[in-house]
Amino acid sequence: MVSVVSTVAAVVLVVTGGVAFMSRTSDAAHRAARDVVNATAPDSYFGIQGVRICVQPLKGKLSVHNGPLPTDRPLLAFSTEGDVLYLWDPVRVREHGGPDPVMSVRSAEVSTYAVSDGQSRCPEQP
């Protein structure tokens, strides 16, 4: 009887902890999405800091997964290092049934620069 009660208690504790962790993670993701949609940099979460950036192609044709790549508005990136740049588009989040807001592009094919809070448009490049 004791082993059954102990097992049930352990399962309840693990499930409760998992639900609490996922709830906090989900809340942090929603706050980050809200901040980016409102043109501000999101807070860091466990050391991960998103950066609002503008992306400009270095050549005419890009290989973009989940493209096209918007160059007229800031996107959210969590790292600008490495061979692949993963981006999140806040405008696509509002378009229900539209394209996936997450896209990727090879870092060597684009230039990036950070934008300040409140800036909702990227300047046009010549």
Side-chain angles (χ1 to χ4, degrees), residues 2-5 10 18 33-34 36-38 40-42 52 57 66 72 78 84 88-90 94 98-99 114 126:
V2 172
S3 63
V4 171
V5 171
R34 182 199 62 225
V36 174
V37 167
N38 293 329
T40 59
R52 297 176 62 241
N66 270 347
D72 61 337
F78 290 99
V84 178
W88 185 81
D89 186 2
R94 290 180 263 173

Side-chain angles (χ1 to χ4, degrees), residues 3 5 12 14 17 24 28 36 61 64-65 70 92-93 104 111 121:
S3 63
V5 171
V12 167
V14 169
R24 287 194 323 227
V36 174
K61 190 171 183 176
V64 181
H65 178 71
R92 290 184 182 182
V93 170
S104 62
S111 68
R121 306 291 300 168

Side-chain angles (χ1 to χ4, degrees), residues 7 13 38 58 62 66 69 76 83 85 91 105 110 117:
T7 303
L13 286 175
N38 293 329
L58 294 176
L62 294 178
N66 270 347
L69 179 69
L76 184 67
D83 294 338
L85 180 62
V91 172
V105 64
V110 296
D117 282 353

Side-chain angles (χ1 to χ4, degrees), residues 8-113:
V8 170
V11 168
V12 167
L13 286 175
V14 169
V15 169
T16 303
V19 168
F21 175 77
M22 292 306 290
S23 176
R24 287 194 323 227
T25 303
S26 179
D27 289 345
H30 285 101
R31 282 193 309 273
R34 182 199 62 225
D35 290 345
V36 174
V37 167
N38 293 329
T40 59
D43 292 332
S44 65
Y45 183 72
F46 284 104
I48 300 172
Q49 177 64 54
V51 179
R52 297 176 62 241
I53 62 172
C54 288
V55 181
Q56 294 296 323
L58 294 176
K59 59 182 185 176
K61 190 171 183 176
L62 294 178
S63 172
V64 181
H65 178 71
N66 270 347
L69 179 69
T71 58
D72 61 337
R73 60 184 176 265
L75 304 171
L76 184 67
F78 290 99
S79 174
T80 55
E81 299 174 6
D83 294 338
V84 178
L85 180 62
Y86 294 96
L87 304 164
W88 185 81
D89 186 2
V91 172
R92 290 184 182 182
V93 170
R94 290 180 263 173
E95 298 172 356
H96 297 291
D100 189 350
V102 178
M103 65 195 87
S104 62
V105 64
R106 289 187 47 228
S107 299
E109 296 181 355
V110 296
S111 68
T112 63
Y113 55 95

